[in-house]
Every structure is written in C-alpha cells, then in structure tokens.
Amino acid sequence: MPSLPESKFIIKSADYRLKWFIILTLLLIPIELLSQTTGKLSGRITDESGEPLVGANVVIIGTTQGAATDLEGYYSILNLRAGSYNVRFGYIGYQAKVIESIKINSDQTTKIDVKLQIMVIEGEEVTITAERPLVEFNQTSSVASISKEEINLLPVQDLNQIVNLQAGVVDGHFRGGRIGEVQYQVDGVTVNNPFNNSSTLLLDKSVLQEVQVISGTFDAKYGQAMSGVVNAVLRSGSDKFEFSGEIYGGDYIPFDDKRYPNNKDINPITTHNLQLTISGPTYLPQTTFLLSGRRYFSNGWLYGQRRFVPTDKYDVDNMIFSPTGDNEIVPMSTTREWSGQFKVTNTSLSRVQLSYQAILNRIESKYYNFTLRLNPDGVKPNNTNSLTHGIDLTQTISNEMFYKISVRQNYFDYKSYMYESVFDPRYLDAGEFKSEANYEDGAVVQGVDLGRYLQKTNSFVAKGDFTWQLNRNNMIELGLEGQISEISFGSPGFISSTNIAGTRVLVAKDQPEKLEDPRVETYHPKQFAFYLQDRIEMGDLVVRAGVRLEHYDANAFIPDDLQNPANAISGAPSSELKKTTIKFAVAPRLGFSFPLTDRASIYFAYGHFYQMPGLADLYSNSNYLILKDLQDGGISYGTMGNPDLKPQLTVQYEVGLKQALSQMLGYELTFFYKDIRDLLGSEFISTYAAADYPRLTNVDFGSVYGVTIAFTQRAFGPLNTSLDYTMQFARGNSSDPYETANRAASGKDSRPRDISFGWDQRHTINATATWIVPGDYSMSAILRFGSGMPYTPAIGTGFNADLETNSGSKNGFVLIDLRAEKSFSLGILEMSTFVRLTNLLNSHFVNGFIFSETGSPDYSVNPIADRTMLANPGRFHEPRKVELGISFRSK
C-alpha cells in the first residue's frame, strides 16, 4: 500500500457557511450564556414590628430598574451590572429610606433587608451608607471580588498582578493546577486562546470595573477550565461626560551592580505610561460611550553592549575579531505596548440594552538573551496583535426574566522573526550565530537569530443565556455556547544550512520540501456546550446545582494503526487515516451554603471540570509520516502530537467556614482536594519493527490538597487590612507532559512516580494594608511570602548525578510593594500625585534559576564550568523599581 498522502494531515479550511449558520442560529435562540457581569439584589421590607409591607417600592437611583414587594414583603431585582448603587426603599405612609453604596458583585446575590418607620413629617427621608458584610452567606465556593476602588488603592497595575494576590494562586497556578487550566473572561465571554489556553489580552487596571477570581469549584455556566475562573468586568460610559488619566515614569534602582550591571544611572523614563479615558453621552438618543487608550514603554533592567553588529565577520580559523559596534549600552528586555478599549451602549428601546465593545492590544517585546550581550542587534523582536470585539444584546422580558446574547471575535496574531521576508538579504549578510568559547565566555560576535515562528488564532464565539426567577426560592439559568476557531502556527519559511561544493552556506526557503521541514499548519477545531443550573435560596440556605454538557471536535486525522503509522514497515498491516472522534463530557456541579449563626456559615462544593489541553499539544508534530524511517535504536523524532486527545478531568471538593469574629474582623477557612485524571502526558508506542516512539496522550495524573485561611478587616477609621495563608500539597507523576519522554531519552527511569509538581509552593502568604483619608491622601502596602518551589538536587555532574526528582526546595522569598498618593483639587480636576515602589527589599530570587548542586542562584560548586551562567543577570528576579506619577479625573 502506498504511503499516506501528506496533504491529509493538513486540515482543509472550515466551512464558513456552517460557521455563520451556527452563529445566526444562536442569535435567534432567546437564550444566552450569562455574561457573568451582573448580580442580583434581594431582601425583605417590613415595618418596625416585622410585618411585611406589600407593594413597597424599591428603586435603583439613577436607573430605570426597580421592583415591588410581594405578599410577604420580599423583592428581587435581576440583571444589575457589577458596581456600587444607591437604592431607595419607599411605602405610602412610611418614611422612605435611601441606602447608599450597596455593592453588587458579578453572579452573586446581595441581600438587603429594610425596616421602614411610620412617617411623622411628610417627605422625610433617611439616608444611610451600606456596609459590606464580613460574611457572605450566599457564596458556595471560594470567590474573591475586587472593585475598581480597591484596585486603585493598591500598588498593582494589571490584571495578572491582581489575580496573583488571591489565596490559592501562585504565579498563575490555581490551587496546584498546571498553567493553562484557568478560564479568562472579559464581561463573561472567554478571551482564552485555545492554542495554549492562555488569555489573548493584557488588561491594565484603568479599564477594570471589577475583577472576580474563583479559585476553587465553580458553577455549571463556566467551562473549558479545571482550576479556576477570572472574570474581568470592564468599565462602561454614563450619561455624564467624564474623563480621567494617569501619567507615570520610573526606573529600576537595585543598588546592586554585581547582580544587575549597567543599572547605576537613574533615568526617570526607563519605564513610562500614558493613559487617558473619556466617557459620556453621544449625540444619539440614550447612547453612551467610553474610549480608553494606553501607551506603555519599558526598557527593562537587562542591558548589553553593542560591541559587534550582526554583519561583523569573524575569522574562525585565525581567531580574528573585527568589531564595528559603537560600544553603546543598550536595553535587551524591552516592551512597547499600545492598548485601547472602546464601548458604546444604547438603551433607546424599551427593556433592551445593545452594546458594542472592542479591546485592542499591540505589544512589541524583546526577550533577554545573555549570549547576545555583545551583539544585541541580533535579537529578534516578538510582535503580538490581539483584538476582542463584539455585540451584546440584553432584553428584560419582565422583572423575573431576561436573556442576553453575545457574539464575539477573538483574534490573536503572534510573530517572532527578525525580518518579514525569509528572502530578506540581511539574513544572509549577517548569517547564523558565531561565537568562540574562549572569547567572552562564548558571547555571540556575528549573526542574527534565524528563527521564524508565527501563531495566529481567529475564534468566533457565540453565547446565549436565559435567566428566570421562577419563584422567590429558585432562579433558573440555562445557556448555550459555541466556539469555532482557525488556528495557524509554525515557521513561515525557514533558513537552513547546507554544503555546496564543500562550503557551508545558508539557503532561504519559503515552502517545505521534505516532510520534516518547518511549515505553517492550519486547523479548525470546534467546541460547544450547554448548561442548566438552579440557584436555590431558601431563607438562609443557598444551593447551586447544575450540569454542563461539553462537545469537542479537533477536526483532524490520525493513522488508525499506530504500530505502522507511516506504512513504512514491509509486510505489516497497513494504516489508514481516520478522522478524530468527537468527545463528549457531562460535568455535574453542586454547592451549598448554610449559616450556623447570624455571624457564621459553612459551605461545601463539588464538581467535575473538563478541559481540552492547549491545541498546540494536539496538533504540533502530529504528522506521523515523518516516522517513515524510524528504526529500533534510531534517531529521535521528538514526542508526536495527538489530535485525538480527550478532555482532561479534575474532580474538586472544597468545604469552608466563614465567620465574623467581631464587627471589624472576619475570616474564611477552606479545605480543598483535587483529583486530577486524564492529564496530558507521554506514552511509548512500539511499532511492528520493534522501534519505539513517544506520543502525547491522557496518561498523567495527580492530586492536590490543602487549606487556605483568609482574614478580612473592615475599615477601622482610615485603616483596612487583609491577610491570607495557603498551604498545599500538589503531587503527581510528572510536572510536564513531555517529562516522561525526556527522561526516557536521557536514559533514566520513565515509569510513573509520585512526586511534587514543580510549582508546589508549600506555604504562601499575601497581606495588604491601606490607610486612606478620603480626598486627602492614601498609603498602601502588599507583602508576599513564598516558601520556594521544588527542584531536583544533584551531586556532582554528568549522568545519574541527579537525586530524586523535585526532592529539594528552593529558598523562600519576601516581596514588598508600596504606594502613596496625595490628592488635591485644581479647578475642574481632581488630581493626585503618587509614588509606587515595587520590590522594596530588592529581593533578587523568587523561584527562579538555581544551580542544582547548591540550591542557590549565587554560587556553584564548579565556578569554572558554570562561569557563563554565573555572569548572566537574567537568572535574577526583577529588581527594585521606583515610579512617580500623576492621575487626574473630572469633577
């Protein structure tokens, strides 16, 4: 039988008629996946004796939303966007009461019970300010909601910094899970790139209204995540014209020239940021807008010297160097970011809100490469363009019922190469990297980075949710979600070295000529889901029960006989291409919360959480035809991809206690356990010719258990503090899907083991403190402590020098960040000046590189052999940074 045609492994373009049919169908269905940007206000209105007031009015001041109480005095208002509201409670013959600053959180119920007094003086009204409760009785899992007011006080700048401050989160790992197990959403709609399950956007704090972080179990409305959910609710315009902005600049000041060379001079614009937001009404009826833009610039803290330029020629045979650089000190870890948000909202139709929103990121960066420190112009740039935009339609059918429809496009375009065209003559003029081990410890003295890579994802997402307050006790939510993507990745042309007439020369090619040649591949995966959930609120008991149905289609092909994948074994059964199977999953979720007293409650949650691995692991190196020359003991072709992977599964349990210790102090104690199954790992396939090759499949496993305790202190005068501690044990058979294959390739035992995951930081503490005098000044501090992640110690060097995998622990660390701000008025502006200090103590090590023989980043038992790494400042943590700025906003 002839070899399988290579073209079969390249999936044809998706049928876009089908794509638009699905999207339009979803638009016509009067249900939509909840945008997770709104919450609910409910409670009971009575007189002083506790008798219900029937037909009392509840009005959200400044909006058209409100409700009337039922026969037992209960009311509920749905679809309130996350934020702070003033609410008026009134009844004929009774003194009206206004409660200000009621906090509404996304996907949560805020309960406000009110007692009204008989009116003595006509028109008399009482105004009070709501206090945020220390104990949230209605939460059935670990949820943190951080408002824009809280964010603006802290020394943080972007979404990732906010997320990493939450209990159970360590450098993007949620409760011991792998990176890529978190669902990132903007206004309730996913912005994850299915290629690697990471967020396509970087969000500055200036666009955030609220951030909701779910670090444990979560409801059935959330999918394609195993460890947590991050929902960023973005700001919207209002009927009042407003503007605000921020300008700051700063530099790294480590006072440590040994670890951080070339950082003696202070340049206040090494890092600088310009941000402006404008919002208000438009000339169209009942239409508001918000426009925000940001430019961020950083030269980083790692520098090189332009002693050589890429086209300098190095005479290898005679050891002759001919540097022509200007010897200028130049930054080598730069970031240039442009970002923006645009939103327009129309409410001219009765009970209908229509909005369009677009968020744009454009980032140009360079990654530090120590070997190029004398030839910094040889470093290739990395360019990322991402755009998320779409339409949201919300219609309120009645006070008990509404639906919402969202259609989005998530576009991500990453390019990493020196020049746009592979035939650019500058590639061949400079040539490949050249160095001499005995000159400057092997620093590159000629050439440019010849690597070329791109990754592009174009996803269309349609979501629909219908919310119905069936009765006082039951709120039903059901929804449908679909995502169709076009994913491209690989090398857009390549430059290879070949021998021509005995001379080694470089040849540029824009198309692959052999199976193993680099190329760009394109795939069209599909994902769909349906969920049904009931939120039951019976007095003090809250139950959230639901189920989610998942549908995954990799839409690719694999050989049906893995023992002869390329049909290259004579006399063996032949292999045919077969389409990958569609994967289904049923994920039940259950959680409840019940008060023990008026100051304490317990909660329990359980759920099955499925997630497809990043599609890079499905599609990369999945052309099995390259195995045509595979022989027993022959060359390695790397670990083969597997488009027929099934979703990974985590079964989570958590139980918690919340209690108010006093009027000012409360805590939350949570115990959690995660059973991780079908995790991505490597298996070995034996061919009919007794040759083995590794392939990705669902074989890895693990478990995580631990406890978190979080203390919250309500503002005591100007002081507000919080403290959380996490202890966790994260273990499994491997920290990396490729670890098993890599161990086998190194001649080590590749059988499953039970070891600590590489990110298992046993002890973590986060503490914050703010001191604020409204309208005058504020100060804030963040302290973070980590006990250090595991590493593999070694005794000596060479084969089998390693001890048991991850049996050692790196050194712990402490990080302190500070912010101080002084406010003042200037005409029509409210202004402030601020200073921010990041890494105040100049901690140089935070779970970074160490020498395996010493467990330290600072010294090695073999300084001669390790002299290059000992001279590399890139192994240290980001040093102390000082930033000064001003912010302003309209009155």
Side-chain angles (χ1 to χ4, degrees), residues 3 316 498 618 786:
S3 298
V316 179
T498 186
L618 276 74

Side-chain angles (χ1 to χ4, degrees), residues 809-874:
S809 293
K810 298 179 181 179
N811 292 332
F813 64 89
V814 174
L815 293 172
I816 297 178
D817 301 335
L818 302 176
R819 189 180 193 274
E821 183 174 19
K822 172 64 178 175
S823 303
F824 56 92
S825 294
L826 184 63
I828 63 171
L829 295 178
E830 295 285 350
M831 300 192 66
S832 66
T833 60
F834 65 88
V835 58
R836 180 168 57 203
L837 282 80
T838 305
N839 191 8
L840 174 69
L841 303 179
N842 201 51
S843 298
H844 69 276
F845 176 77
V846 178
N847 282 322
F849 168 86
I850 59 170
F851 294 99
S852 58
E853 300 90 352
T854 65
S856 168
D858 288 311
Y859 64 94
S860 165
V861 297
N862 194 346
I864 302 301
D866 293 329
R867 63 186 184 276
T868 300
M869 182 54 73
L870 284 168
N872 184 356

Side-chain angles (χ1 to χ4, degrees), residues 195 380 414-417 451-455 488-492:
F195 181 74
K380 65 179 178 179
Y414 172 79
K415 295 177 181 177
S416 179
Y417 42 72
R452 295 175 60 82
Y453 182 80
L454 65 78
Q455 197 280 299
S488 301
F489 64 95
S491 177

Side-chain angles (χ1 to χ4, degrees), residues 289-491:
F289 80 97
L290 182 141
L291 178 63
S292 181
R294 176 179 185 245
R295 181 184 187 271
Y296 174 76
F297 173 105
S298 175
N299 278 335
W301 69 94
L302 298 165
Y303 294 86
Q305 182 185 39
R306 192 185 289 116
R307 188 183 306 177
F308 295 87
V309 297
T311 52
D312 285 342
K313 301 305 178 184
Y314 159 45
D315 187 340
V316 179
D317 296 329
N318 298 307
M319 290 283 291
I320 297 175
F321 302 93
S322 303
T324 63
D326 56 12
N327 291 316
E328 185 78 16
I329 300 298
V330 295
M332 292 187 65
S333 57
T334 58
T335 300
R336 308 287 185 266
E337 178 185 343
W338 294 263
S339 59
Q341 177 201 6
F342 172 72
K343 186 171 186 177
V344 59
T345 304
N346 179 273
T347 56
S348 57
L349 298 177
S350 177
R351 292 178 173 262
V352 174
Q353 177 177 293
L354 180 66
S355 64
Y356 169 80
Q357 178 169 262
I359 308 108
L360 173 69
N361 280 168
R362 181 182 178 187
I363 303 171
E364 178 185 300
S365 62
K366 289 188 176 181
Y367 304 140
Y368 181 67
N369 187 334
F370 181 64
T371 62
L372 289 168
R373 63 193 179 278
L374 302 182
N375 179 25
D377 294 340
V379 177
K380 65 179 178 179
N382 306 279
N383 293 281
T384 301
N385 294 290
S386 55
L387 171 67
T388 292
H389 71 117
I391 295 173
D392 296 307
L393 171 67
T394 304
Q395 182 174 9
T396 302
I397 300 173
S398 68
N399 289 338
E400 296 79 28
M401 193 180 300
F402 73 94
Y403 69 89
K404 189 172 183 180
I405 294 174
S406 296
V407 178
R408 302 280 177 87
Q409 179 189 18
N410 295 332
Y411 178 79
F412 179 84
D413 185 4
Y414 172 79
K415 295 177 181 177
S416 179
Y417 42 72
M418 182 64 77
Y419 308 117
E420 185 69 29
S421 171
V422 70
F423 298 114
D424 193 303
R426 289 174 289 183
Y427 272 127
L428 301 184
D429 289 344
E432 58 189 336
F433 289 146
K434 291 185 179 181
S435 62
E436 168 56 46
N438 295 319
Y439 178 78
E440 293 286 355
D441 296 331
V444 170
V445 297
Q446 177 186 336
V448 297
D449 193 327
L450 302 181
R452 295 175 60 82
Y453 182 80
L454 65 78
Q455 197 280 299
K456 185 182 295 185
T457 299
N458 192 14
S459 295
F460 292 87
V461 182
K463 302 183 69 175
D465 170 89
F466 176 76
T467 302
W468 179 22
Q469 188 72 48
L470 178 63
N471 51 45
R472 186 199 313 156
N473 298 328
N474 292 269
M475 189 170 79
I476 306 297
E477 298 168 283
L478 59 93
L480 184 66
E481 175 181 4
Q483 177 170 302
I484 300 176
S485 303
E486 180 176 88
I487 296 177
S488 301
F489 64 95
S491 177

Side-chain angles (χ1 to χ4, degrees), residues 242-276:
E242 298 173 323
F243 61 89
S244 63
E246 184 176 72
I247 303 170
Y248 68 80
D251 196 4
Y252 294 92
I253 310 176
F255 299 121
D256 185 349
D257 195 51
K258 179 181 178 181
R259 292 191 178 96
Y260 304 99
N262 301 309
N263 273 281
K264 289 183 178 179
D265 299 330
I266 298 177
N267 182 354
I269 58 171
T270 294
T271 297
H272 64 258
N273 180 85
L274 305 172
Q275 186 273 322
L276 178 65

Side-chain angles (χ1 to χ4, degrees), residues 44-47 52-61 66-70 73 75 77 86-99 112 114-119 123-126:
R44 193 182 191 211
I45 301 178
T46 62
D47 62 16
L53 297 178
V54 181
N57 292 316
V58 183
V59 177
I60 308 296
I61 298 175
T69 56
D70 62 16
Y75 71 92
I77 303 175
N86 299 334
V87 183
R88 186 179 188 276
F89 301 85
Y91 190 70
I92 296 175
Y94 285 76
Q95 185 184 59
K97 182 176 290 187
V98 174
I99 301 181
I112 300 292
V114 175
K115 287 187 177 183
L116 298 182
Q117 297 178 339
I118 295 176
M119 185 182 298
E124 185 179 20
E125 190 171 270
V126 176

Side-chain angles (χ1 to χ4, degrees), residues 1 173 210 356 387 391 431 491 494 527 533-534 557 580 602 604 648 755 774 780 792 805 847-848 883:
M1 178 180 175
H173 297 272
E210 181 188 72
Y356 169 80
L387 171 67
I391 295 173
S491 177
F494 62 98
Q527 299 178 24
Q533 181 166 301
D534 187 9
F557 293 87
T580 53
I602 59 171
F604 169 81
Q648 304 169 112
I755 59 174
S780 63
T792 302
T805 303
N847 282 322
E883 295 166 321

